[in-house]
Amino acid sequence: MKQRGIAAVLALFLGGLGVHKFYLNQVTAGVLYLVFSWTLIPALLALIDFVRYASMSNEVFAAKYSLPGTPGVNLSALDNAEPMLKWKRVLIAVPIAFALIVALVIVLAVVTG
């Protein structure tokens, strides 16, 4: 079973390279973080992930990131936390969209000279 504290520390210190995503068996996301690490956008996303992991309960974290059938994982914890997580998704989506727009403006400024 994956541990929330380890995922949070990895997201904080090595998240810009996607190490926390690899730890959570999200290989595709980890590769994307690694490929785009030069843009510093993954570092911002990792900071958001750190806050998400730090504010998430152990039960919800285990239900969301453990493999199905893992002993001691209560999937009903995820259902009970779902209404609480919806507003957090909005709060997370806004800075992500802003960061992507800023990155696009910077890339366009560099390309056009």
Side-chain angles (χ1 to χ4, degrees):
M1 183 164 55
K2 304 297 180 182
Q3 294 183 11
R4 182 176 61 96
I6 293 175
V9 169
L10 289 174
L12 183 62
F13 293 110
L14 298 171
L17 299 174
V19 174
H20 65 296
K21 294 295 185 180
F22 288 111
Y23 174 73
L24 295 173
N25 295 326
Q26 297 176 339
V27 177
T28 304
V31 169
L32 288 172
Y33 273 56
L34 192 58
V35 168
F36 291 104
S37 63
W38 63 273
T39 65
L40 299 179
I41 293 173
L44 175 66
L45 297 177
L47 186 62
I48 294 169
D49 287 338
F50 166 73
V51 172
R52 286 180 48 228
Y53 301 152
S55 64
M56 193 179 289
S57 71
N58 286 332
E59 293 81 17
V60 173
F61 182 85
K64 190 168 185 176
Y65 295 108
S66 293
L67 297 174
T70 302
V73 174
N74 180 9
L75 294 179
S76 65
L78 191 58
D79 295 334
N80 295 338
E82 194 61 31
M84 178 183 70
L85 295 175
K86 286 182 181 179
W87 68 268
K88 287 184 178 179
R89 289 183 188 144
V90 172
L91 291 176
I92 290 169
V94 170
I96 291 172
F98 179 74
L100 290 174
I101 291 170
V102 168
L104 180 63
V105 169
I106 291 170
V107 169
L108 288 175
V110 169
V111 169
T112 58

